Each structure stands twice: as C-alpha cells, then as structure tokens.
Amino acid sequence: MLDMTTSEQKFDVVVVGGGPCGATAATDLAKRGYSVALLDRDGRIKPCGGAVPPRMIEDYDIPDSQIVAKIRTARMISPTQRHVDIPIENGYVGMVDREHFDEYLRVRAATAGALRITGTYTKITRDAEGTHVHYRHKETGENRAMTCRMVIGADGARSNIAKTEVPGGAKIPYVIAYHEIIEAPTVTTEHYNPQRCDVIYDGRISPDFYGWVFPHGKSASVGMGTCIDGVDLKKATADLRANAGLTDCKTIRREGAPIPLKPLDRWDNGSDVLLAGDAAGVVAPSSGEGIYYAMACGTSAALATARRLRTNMPSDLKLSRKMFMGEHGQVFRVLGAMQNAYYKSDMRRERFVSLCHDVDVQKLTFEAYMNKKLVAARPLAHLKIGIKNIAHLTGLVSETRT
C-alpha cells in the first residue's frame, strides 16, 4: 500500500517496527478487523543467523520459497577446536535471509489490511483527541503524526518507545551482535558444509558468547556477539572467517545491532503502549535465537491489544507477557542458567562442548528447539543430564574426547 498524505490519520493501533514481531502483530490485528498502521524505518537489516525451527514454519505458514537452506547437522566447536556434530533427526532447521524474510512479512501484513508507512518514529504525545505517534516521513522528510487508541512498540533492542513510555524499559542487558553476509563457497569442505550450522565457543572469537557460520544457500552468515566493551567485533569476525577458510569469500554486506538477553519485567505502560519482540527483551538466552520468539510475542501482543480495545481495560495489556512467559518462561530460565554456567571461561566452554557429546543432551536439546518446549516425558534423561552437568562443571569428567 502507498503512504497516505492527508491530514493526521486515525487508527485503532499503530505498530512501530516492521520486523518479524511488528509485522506479525500488524497482520493478526488487521485480520481481526482493526485498523492498523505499520510504521517501519525501512532499509535496516538486523544481524541474524537466520535459523527458524519447524514449529515456526508450521505455526506461521512460512512458504518454502523463504527457506534459503535446510540444515541437517549442528557442529559445536570448542576453544581447542574439538568438535561434536549433532544430527537433526526427523526434520531440519530452516534458514531465512532477513533482507527478504522481513519484507515478506511486511507485505503479508499489508495484504491482511495494515497500512505500511515508511518513516522514523520520533515521539508519542497525548491530548483530548487521543494518542499521537509522531514520525519523520522517509520520502518527504516531513514530520507527521497518526492518532490511535493503542501503540505496540516493536522497535527493537534499546527501544525508544520502551525508554520513554514503560517503567524500567531503559534498563535491559544485551549483547552486541555483528555479522558479515558472504558469498558461500561453491564446494563442501571440512570447514564449510551448506547443510551444517557451526557454533564456535571460543574466547578468542567471543569472550562471553559465541561465533557462528550459518549457511544461507548462495550466501552465508558469519558473525559473533559479546557483552564486553572494547572487543573488536570486525577483527573477531575476520579471525572466525580465517579459521573457517572463508577469508577469500566476497563480502556482500555487514551488519551490527544489540540483541537483548532477558525479558523485561514489565511490557506495558498501564494505558496505551505495549512492548513486544526485542523491545520487550524476548530473545532466548544462551542461543540468542529471536525470530520465532519475536513472532510468538507479536501474536501475544496482538491478542492482548485486541482484548484491551474490546474491554477498554488497561490491565488486559498484562496478558501479553503472562501468555508469552507462561509458554516460554521455563525454557528461557533453563537457557539463562546454561549461559551463566558455561560461557564464563574457555575451560567451561570446553566442558560444555564435551557435554554435547551425550546422546541424551542432543535429543532433549533438539526436541526443545524444534518444538519450543521442554520435554517432560523423559524424566530419567533429565536426571542423567543433571548429574552429567554437575560432573562437567566440577571437572569430574576429563576433556579427552575429540
């Protein structure tokens, strides 16, 4: 849809941010018959490995044309370059390219009835007429505004809406992620396989997170993340490319951005603003996975917003966080504990890769990833993993496996 240039437009909901979360929320609300504006800056591509689980592909009806690669194996690489290859049984992990995937979702929102507006959010004001979302129009440079009943802030980590509208919204831990999209090698080698994701747990690449090499069909994402100031992200990525034999591959583009590490305690302002996606902090600890959780959060935000519009009860906005954390909170807590336990030093990262050799760990990890929930049907396996986890952390298990 084309931008309208009339006087101030009126909507039920203005969604700020057109990534997977914002686009999903806009689609869901438009399908429910609400008037929706989707305000997006355009031209920004978030650094992202691009992995999406089967549950997301099924839940959100993602066409195969958006899946640029199908991953059958995950390789975990330790600081001493030992590795373990974990097969993905009974399926695959899909890979998307955010440059095209996000636009696909925005087009889908417009097809559902949302009005796409390209511009940069500046502020929210209120008066007797309602809530006004101000923005700078991209094509004209004009300052414009929209009137609405509700605002969904899906404007990413370090969200401007969170900072000014939601108590505690300015305080969110994050890593800085950086990656380079490169032309993929034309041949399979020991260091690069178009059906394998490599995750590198090495303090020389990232002292507190990890690096990655994720195939995207004709291209690949190579990058890393860190919370520590002063780390040279470009040098670390260059070292990662060198270690993987990818130095001579043509660089297509470079991207960097903050990735939140913990959901905020509060997602709404108790009135007319609800945070969602990265703005609410819903990126999985340990893995940094965000696409599925962003879309799931977009769905919960749309449901809570629709109820708020029907009942006119501000307390209904709290349902978004309650629904999301009710389904995913336990997984986030487990992943957060794993990150705190294993990402602190190379010695612990070495032990973590050793733990990944265990078949029980592999099966439960990928069952949880593929289906987005912890598997409760195998209590003995959980007990075994707990015992092995303690053994690896305390050094009772030797590091001799290759």
Side-chain angles (χ1 to χ4, degrees):
M1 285 188 177
L2 298 177
D3 293 351
M4 296 174 63
T5 56
T6 58
S7 59
E8 191 164 322
Q9 302 154 258
K10 296 184 179 181
F11 300 92
D12 291 318
V13 185
V14 172
V15 180
V16 180
C21 177
T24 299
T27 300
D28 289 357
L29 285 163
K31 285 183 175 180
R32 289 171 176 267
Y34 294 101
S35 58
V36 181
L38 178 60
L39 175 64
D40 187 65
R41 287 190 301 176
D42 193 29
R44 176 183 177 272
I45 307 170
K46 179 182 175 181
C48 177
V52 295
R55 178 174 173 181
M56 193 198 92
I57 295 171
E58 181 178 352
D59 285 359
Y60 292 97
D61 194 23
I62 305 302
D64 198 60
S65 59
Q66 288 297 316
I67 306 302
V68 296
K70 295 181 179 180
I71 301 304
R72 310 289 181 178
T73 304
R75 170 169 288 187
M76 309 297 179
I77 302 174
S78 80
T80 59
Q81 301 304 299
R82 295 182 309 113
H83 70 260
V84 54
D85 287 350
I86 304 176
I88 300 170
E89 299 177 353
N90 303 318
Y92 63 87
V93 173
M95 305 300 294
V96 298
D97 189 323
R98 293 290 297 272
E99 179 182 12
H100 305 293
F101 181 67
D102 289 17
E103 177 61 12
Y104 164 78
L105 295 177
R106 290 189 287 267
V107 169
R108 188 157 74 173
T111 301
L115 176 67
R116 289 183 62 181
I117 298 176
T118 305
T120 302
Y121 164 85
T122 54
K123 63 181 178 179
I124 292 173
T125 61
R126 298 169 180 87
D127 59 22
E129 298 296 320
T131 301
H132 308 280
V133 176
H134 299 257
Y135 66 98
R136 186 172 59 256
H137 191 267
K138 181 176 181 179
E139 288 188 6
T140 67
E142 296 174 344
N143 291 319
R144 299 184 183 181
M146 299 173 279
T147 303
C148 62
R149 298 170 61 194
M150 271 292 305
V151 179
I152 294 179
D155 52 334
R158 296 194 294 197
S159 157
N160 288 323
I161 292 178
K163 290 175 185 176
T164 59
E165 297 292 329
V166 176
K171 299 177 181 179
I172 184 169
Y174 58 86
V175 300
I176 297 296
Y178 172 82
H179 80 160
E180 297 175 358
I181 297 293
I182 64 172
E183 288 186 354
T186 56
V187 296
T188 298
T189 68
E190 171 61 21
H191 295 296
Y192 183 83
N193 185 320
Q195 292 188 328
R196 187 187 73 216
C197 281
D198 291 359
V199 185
I200 299 91
Y201 298 99
D202 187 341
R204 292 167 296 184
I205 300 300
S206 172
D208 59 330
F209 205 56
Y210 65 82
W212 67 82
V213 178
F214 286 1
H216 284 184
K218 294 181 180 180
S219 63
S221 165
V222 184
M224 50 78 68
T226 182
C227 296
I228 298 175
D229 290 337
V231 173
D232 189 332
L233 282 72
K234 292 184 178 181
K235 181 181 183 304
T237 302
D239 292 342
L240 178 54
R241 288 179 62 169
N243 293 343
L246 302 172
T247 298
D248 294 334
C249 295
K250 180 182 177 181
T251 301
I252 299 171
R253 64 179 192 265
R254 299 177 174 88
E255 297 148 0
I259 308 294
L261 286 176
K262 181 181 178 182
L264 290 172
D265 293 332
R266 181 170 178 175
W267 293 4
D268 68 276
N269 69 344
S271 176
D272 57 358
V273 173
L274 177 62
L275 302 178
D278 280 10
V282 294
V283 172
S286 177
S287 68
E289 181 196 356
I291 300 176
Y292 168 77
Y293 292 114
M295 296 183 75
C297 191
T299 294
S300 69
L303 290 170
T305 297
R307 182 160 174 172
R308 163 74 173 90
L309 292 171
R310 289 197 311 271
T311 67
N312 205 32
M313 294 181 62
S315 59
D316 285 339
L317 294 180
K318 297 187 184 301
L319 290 173
S320 180
R321 190 181 192 280
K322 183 177 181 180
M323 288 186 291
F324 182 91
M325 296 305 292
E327 182 168 2
H328 303 295
Q330 186 179 8
V331 171
F332 275 43
R333 286 189 290 272
V334 169
L335 291 176
M338 188 175 77
Q339 180 171 334
N340 290 334
Y342 285 110
Y343 286 17
K344 293 183 182 298
S345 69
D346 272 356
M347 180 186 72
R348 291 197 173 192
R349 282 185 277 268
E350 199 75 39
R351 296 189 184 283
F352 173 68
V353 174
S354 290
L355 186 64
C356 289
H357 280 274
D358 188 90
V359 173
D360 287 321
V361 172
Q362 294 178 14
K363 288 184 176 180
L364 285 177
T365 297
F366 275 95
E367 285 173 1
Y369 175 80
M370 304 286 262
N371 300 307
K372 289 297 163 234
K373 55 187 174 183
L374 297 177
V375 181
R378 301 174 62 200
L380 291 179
H382 282 285
L383 177 61
K384 286 170 60 181
I385 289 171
I387 295 171
K388 292 169 185 173
N389 190 49
I390 294 171
H392 280 276
L393 282 173
T394 57
L396 295 175
V397 175
S398 63
E399 305 300 325
T400 58
R401 303 184 72 167
T402 60

